[in-house]
Amino acid sequence: MRTPLVDTFGRVHRDLRISVTDRCNFRCTYCMPAEGMEWLPREEVLTFEEIERVARVCVERFGFDSIRLTGGEPTVRARLPLLVAKLAALDGPAGPVDIALTTNGATLELLADDLVAAGLRRINVSLDTLRPERFLALTRRDALGPVLTGIDAAVRAGLDPVKVNCVLMRGVNDDEVVDLARYGRDHGVTVRFIEFMPLDASGGWADDQVVPAAEIVARIDEVFPLEPLSAADRGSEPAARWRYRDGRGELGVLPTVTEAFCASCDRVRLTADGQLRSCLFATEETDLRGALRAGASDDALAELLRTTVAGKWAGHGVGTVTFIRPKRSMSQIGG
Ligand code: SAM
């Protein structure tokens, strides 16, 4: 018997974001320092069996139908396809659970077929620039070529949709907004522009670095005319979706900062070290790893999920005086 996991604002939770590692093979300047990140000790990271157990409780008790794996960089976790296969075998409320992955794409050429064979259906690849020198400066890795090859490999492997996530930052890469949109149109992938959020490791975020979603849409619309998709088409998906009037695909924008979409949020997050968070910006976590390792029953785990979601706030409040930055940065929470 599945009961929906509803918070005090009536939001039904169906989407689990799982960070499988805090480690990453890139050092994006806006996400991590060049040196000195302290990684979680291996024994603190959830095993695949522990991750599967939490996911199973979410699916079997609460009818979750969607799981996204992220990190850190999820593909640096050994045998990732094995975890995908375990999760893809879960019996969702209306068939198999929808399994997706967010990755920097650098090793996708090697992994895409194995991930698809394991049951992965959809993928988001992060790509903030199409210029090799800028890519090196932004990620501190000379890997634009492998990422572009990886995106093509994902399309060839049959992942659908393949989306490209791009964090647009004023004065850093916003001059490429039209080039990135064109790349999406030419490669049959949906580009999603993400507003820069105060979750950088250096704490250097400032609101004048945010390029508002409305400006992004206006700048692309001047070159490639756009029309909005209806709210019904958008569903609970956080990205505002637009379609090119000439029929050549879609564009997404995530206005996390300027037009927060908390009212339709349906997700909970599990960090690599087994802490449950009701919001990316939550300042409190629930220790599921401790419960798992102390032998908690499924009933007890379900209760921890219920109480965490019951305490979920109405909205993250970024940009308001009451906003408090979470202690952990994006890569440590799971973006
Ligand atoms: N390594 C994987 C990747 O590159 O997609 C998954 C983790 S990464 C933290 C997930 C996404 O978060 C990436 O698209 C990244 O660009 C984005 N991100 C990181 N820090 C951010 C910030 N401060 N604001 C907005 N997006 C951010």
Side-chain angles (χ1 to χ4, degrees), residues 2-16 54 57-59 61-64 265-269 276-278 301-312:
R2 304 183 211 241
T3 14
L5 187 58
V6 189
D7 70 8
T8 50
F9 302 95
R11 294 172 293 202
V12 178
H13 292 72
R14 299 192 184 88
D15 183 21
L16 176 63
V54 174
V57 170
C58 288
V59 171
R61 298 294 178 105
F62 300 119
F64 277 42
C265 179
D266 65 351
R267 54 198 69 88
V268 290
R269 295 171 181 271
L276 186 70
R277 301 174 67 91
S278 60
L301 292 175
E303 189 51 30
L304 287 173
L305 274 146
R306 245 182 248 111
T307 47
T308 304
V309 164
K312 183 163 175 158

Side-chain angles (χ1 to χ4, degrees), residues 30-31 70-73 102-104 126 167 195-197 200 330:
Y30 60 86
C31 192
T70 182
E73 172 48 41
T102 299
T103 171
N104 63 30
S126 302
V167 180
E195 287 182 347
F196 185 35
M197 297 177 235
D200 52 317
M330 184 75 112

Side-chain angles (χ1 to χ4, degrees), residues 223-253:
V223 183
F224 304 120
L226 289 162
E227 61 191 6
L229 261 72
S230 66
D233 287 330
R234 172 176 165 174
S236 72
E237 202 190 319
R241 289 166 58 185
W242 299 76
R243 118 175 87 220
Y244 294 108
R245 286 183 190 269
D246 64 6
R248 288 190 51 195
E250 253 190 53
L251 179 86
V253 281

Side-chain angles (χ1 to χ4, degrees), residues 23-26 28 30-31 69-74 102-105 124-128 165-167 194-201 205 256 330-332 334-335:
R23 294 172 195 239
C24 189
N25 45 0
F26 284 12
C28 297
Y30 60 86
C31 192
L69 301 178
T70 182
E73 172 48 41
T102 299
T103 171
N104 63 30
N124 288 28
V125 183
S126 302
L127 174 68
D128 301 325
N165 285 351
C166 172
V167 180
I194 302 171
E195 287 182 347
F196 185 35
M197 297 177 235
L199 284 171
D200 52 317
W205 181 91
T256 320
M330 184 75 112
S331 69
Q332 295 164 324

Side-chain angles (χ1 to χ4, degrees), residues 62-86:
F62 300 119
F64 277 42
D65 54 12
S66 148
I67 295 177
R68 176 173 294 276
L69 301 178
T70 182
E73 172 48 41
T75 59
V76 304
R77 177 99 189 231
R79 294 186 290 282
L80 184 68
L82 198 67
L83 176 63
V84 170
K86 282 179 185 291

